[in-house]
């Protein structure tokens, strides 16, 4: 069945360093969404990518959708303590499938 | 505040019991989703409803069932509970249930003793 794999599972970075999480699907997706879940909180929608090769930016966050619409990435430039949390990708085919998430820890 | 309301916030019960989790979607949203999140696990999609009808099914066990009522609130029923059912259960809602953002509630934490 359809699978969405996300790597890495955990990432520790020094504050100010960059961070990237990758999402790969076993099937072509109609779109991909990214969510952030703060510790003890609920997932919050960040962005949706629809077009092949699409790149979107939100301040220090850059989101990419692969040309084949089977992979995506989220890159954070110069991480801050407020970036702590788990970042999930969610691929939409006939139904939505969430990756297991990447938990980001920031070292001060 | 996402506008999605889940009750109760916490639930503690014993193996073999049955519980009902409740979700009120954001005003104007017609679709409701249920997810299970276990410790250090991602979000497992359980089931989706749109305007009272089941739209998509994920990894939902036969011991679990759900429904969406005419007023659009939804209930997730979990029966013959096992220790492994301990998890955080999230409800999310969206306007049409298609390719659009989902808005999550704060979740119900279920603990099975």
């Amino acid at each position: 069945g359809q699978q969405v794999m996300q790597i890495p599972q955990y990432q520790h970075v020094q504050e100010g360093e960059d961070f990237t999480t990758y999402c790969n699907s076993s099937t072509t997706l109609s779109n991909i969404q990214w969510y952030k879940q703060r510790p003890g909180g609920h997932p919050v929608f960040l962005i949706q990518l629809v077009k092949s090769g699409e790149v979107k930016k939100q301040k220090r966050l850059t989101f990419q959708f692969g040309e084949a619409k089977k992979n995506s990435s989220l890159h954070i430039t110069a991480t801050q303590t407020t970036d702590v949390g788990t970042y999930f990708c969610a691929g939409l085919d006939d139904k939505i499938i969430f990756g297991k998430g990447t938990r980001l820890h920031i070292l001060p | 505040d996402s506008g999605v309301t889940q009750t109760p916030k916490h639930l503690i019960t014993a193996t073999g019991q049955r519980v009902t989790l409740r979700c009120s979607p954001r005003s104007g949203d017609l679709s409701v989703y249920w997810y299970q999140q276990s410790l250090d696990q991602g979000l497992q999609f359980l089931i989706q409803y749109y305007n009272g009808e089941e739209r998509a099914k994920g990894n939902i066990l036969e011991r679990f069932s759900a429904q969406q009522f005419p007023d659009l609130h939804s209930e997730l029923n979990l029966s013959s509970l096992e220790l492994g059912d301990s998890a955080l259960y999230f409800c999310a809602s969206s306007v049409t249930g298609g390719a659009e953002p989902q808005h999550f509630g704060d979740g119900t934490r279920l603990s099975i003793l």
Side-chain angles (χ1 to χ4, degrees):
Chain A
Q2 180 190 2
Q3 292 186 34
V4 171
M5 308 298 290
Q6 200 172 343
I7 55 171
Q9 190 175 359
Y10 300 96
Q11 184 82 60
H12 293 78
V13 299
Q14 290 281 9
E15 188 175 5
E17 290 183 341
D18 293 356
F19 159 77
T20 305
T21 173
Y22 301 90
C23 187
N24 294 288
S25 170
S26 57
T27 61
T28 301
L29 302 170
S30 60
N31 72 34
I32 197 156
Q33 299 175 346
W34 285 91
Y35 291 80
K36 176 184 178 181
Q37 184 176 18
R38 292 181 184 272
H42 59 262
V44 175
F45 173 81
L46 294 176
I47 209 159
Q48 176 169 286
L49 304 171
V50 179
K51 299 176 185 175
S52 169
E54 189 171 14
V55 178
K56 286 188 176 180
K57 292 191 175 186
Q58 288 180 352
K59 297 182 180 177
R60 294 178 296 104
L61 278 60
T62 302
F63 304 84
Q64 289 189 306
F65 201 8
E67 293 291 339
K69 300 183 77 173
K70 294 178 74 172
N71 57 70
S72 181
S73 65
L74 158 59
H75 179 83
I76 302 178
T77 303
T79 54
Q80 300 175 359
T81 55
T82 54
D83 296 325
V84 165
T86 301
Y87 293 84
F88 292 98
C89 63
L92 184 63
D93 189 4
D94 58 333
K95 59 187 176 188
I96 192 162
I97 303 289
F98 275 78
K100 289 194 183 296
T102 295
R103 186 173 294 184
L104 174 62
H105 295 269
I106 308 289
L107 304 170
Chain B
D1 181 15
S2 66
V4 178
T5 304
Q6 287 188 248
T7 57
K9 290 193 185 303
H10 303 277
L11 201 47
I12 302 174
T13 188
T15 56
Q17 296 299 304
R18 173 189 168 94
V19 297
T20 297
L21 312 184
R22 195 179 192 276
C23 170
S24 293
R26 215 172 52 135
S27 178
D29 286 358
L30 299 178
S31 191
V32 168
Y33 306 75
W34 285 99
Y35 295 89
Q36 180 192 58
Q37 185 174 44
S38 302
L39 197 62
D40 288 337
Q41 291 294 310
L43 289 158
Q44 290 288 325
F45 167 66
L46 297 178
I47 199 162
Q48 178 197 2
Y49 284 85
Y50 172 75
N51 206 21
E53 299 291 325
E54 182 183 306
R55 174 169 278 192
K57 217 169 195 177
N59 300 321
I60 188 165
L61 300 172
E62 285 191 11
R63 300 184 286 108
F64 296 0
S65 65
Q67 60 183 125
Q68 186 180 28
F69 295 86
D71 67 352
L72 301 178
H73 91 272
S74 179
E75 292 181 357
L76 178 66
N77 300 295
L78 315 176
S79 61
S80 302
L81 287 168
E82 302 175 358
L83 293 177
D85 296 328
S86 293
L88 193 51
Y89 291 84
F90 283 109
C91 167
S93 72
S94 69
V95 179
T96 67
E100 58 194 358
Q102 294 181 31
H103 301 271
F104 283 76
D106 290 337
T108 292
R109 183 166 295 282
L110 176 62
S111 299
I112 312 298
L113 303 179

